[in-house]
Amino acid sequence: MEQRQNTRIQKTQERLRAAAHQLFLQQGYQGTSIEGILAEAGISSKETFYRHYANKEALFVDVLRHLTMEMPRFSEKLETLPPPHDLASLRQVLATLAYEILAIISQPGYLPLIRMIITEMPRFPQLGTLFFSTVTQRGISIITAQLRAAKAQEIIADVDVDAVAYTLLGGLLTYVVMHRLLAGEEAQNSSSDHANAVIEVIMRSLRP
């Protein structure tokens, strides 16, 4: 009984999330209403919405999380990442993270959402804050955790691990934004090459 109820709750959340994502892309954050999300999801009761989300902002955060850090594949990769024990294993861990981050950014529904956030940030500055805390900050924390573990074992030089993490994530984001968001190119084929190049630069700076 409990499992059936949990499944029903999960399916309702999935419907709301999918409907909200679609409307955010079509109408923007301001133009999307809770009533519109319910209609798109085929749900008639507002009470149903508020049983799952406190407000539209909370649903927006859930859409971001679902597209990024809570993707099943990414979560599984994080769980299986071994702690680094030498430079080679650290490079492998960072490369795995880089490939997965690029895969997340390259999703069809990801960059259009970023465009929407950039467009609406002047009116809704909290969208940028929500994106940073939900996506960017969590990505940085994952990378810095690996670097701190390597630093504690004296595998790498005594560097500012936060600066290294931002350099790695920034290098990946800049590449995708410039090629796909601005130039409109499909950067899939060269994504892994770029990730490897960024990792190589990072590893040179980390050698003791």
Side-chain angles (χ1 to χ4, degrees), residues 107-142:
Q107 292 177 90
Y110 184 90
L111 288 180
L113 198 63
I114 299 302
R115 289 191 187 99
M116 185 275 289
I117 292 172
I118 292 171
T119 300
E120 300 216 13
M121 270 182 60
R123 288 173 293 176
F124 297 96
Q126 74 268 27
L127 294 183
T129 303
L130 288 171
F131 180 81
F132 182 81
S133 60
T134 305
V135 179
T136 309
Q137 207 164 46
R138 194 163 172 211
I140 290 293
S141 67
I142 292 167

Side-chain angles (χ1 to χ4, degrees), residues 1-152:
M1 181 70 177
E2 183 179 349
Q3 183 177 1
R4 188 180 303 170
Q5 184 177 1
N6 290 337
T7 300
R8 186 164 56 247
I9 291 171
Q10 183 179 354
K11 286 184 176 179
T12 301
Q13 286 180 323
E14 288 173 356
R15 288 166 64 188
L16 289 169
R17 188 191 303 121
H21 186 190
Q22 183 68 24
L23 292 181
F24 286 146
L25 296 182
Q26 292 176 351
Q27 303 174 5
Y29 184 80
Q30 182 182 28
T32 299
S33 65
I34 291 175
E35 292 81 4
I37 292 169
L38 288 169
E40 182 73 17
I43 296 171
S44 58
S45 172
K46 253 191 178 182
E47 291 180 1
T48 301
F49 179 94
Y50 288 111
R51 278 201 297 269
H52 296 276
Y53 300 101
N55 47 40
K56 184 172 71 171
E57 186 176 284
L59 178 51
F60 178 75
V61 169
D62 192 32
V63 170
L64 288 177
R65 285 179 179 154
H66 184 71
L67 272 174
T68 55
M69 298 305 173
E70 291 184 1
M71 284 183 64
R73 173 179 159 178
F74 189 69
S75 300
E76 290 167 7
K77 286 284 185 181
L78 291 183
E79 291 172 2
T80 58
L81 282 177
H85 55 83
D86 56 21
L87 283 175
S89 63
L90 176 62
R91 189 193 192 288
Q92 184 58 49
V93 166
L94 294 180
T96 298
L97 286 172
Y99 299 152
E100 293 304 316
I101 289 169
L102 280 175
I104 287 172
I105 299 171
S106 299
Q107 292 177 90
Y110 184 90
L111 288 180
L113 198 63
I114 299 302
R115 289 191 187 99
M116 185 275 289
I117 292 172
I118 292 171
T119 300
E120 300 216 13
M121 270 182 60
R123 288 173 293 176
F124 297 96
Q126 74 268 27
L127 294 183
T129 303
L130 288 171
F131 180 81
F132 182 81
S133 60
T134 305
V135 179
T136 309
Q137 207 164 46
R138 194 163 172 211
I140 290 293
S141 67
I142 292 167
I143 298 169
T144 54
Q146 293 290 334
L147 293 172
R148 287 196 178 101
K151 190 175 179 179

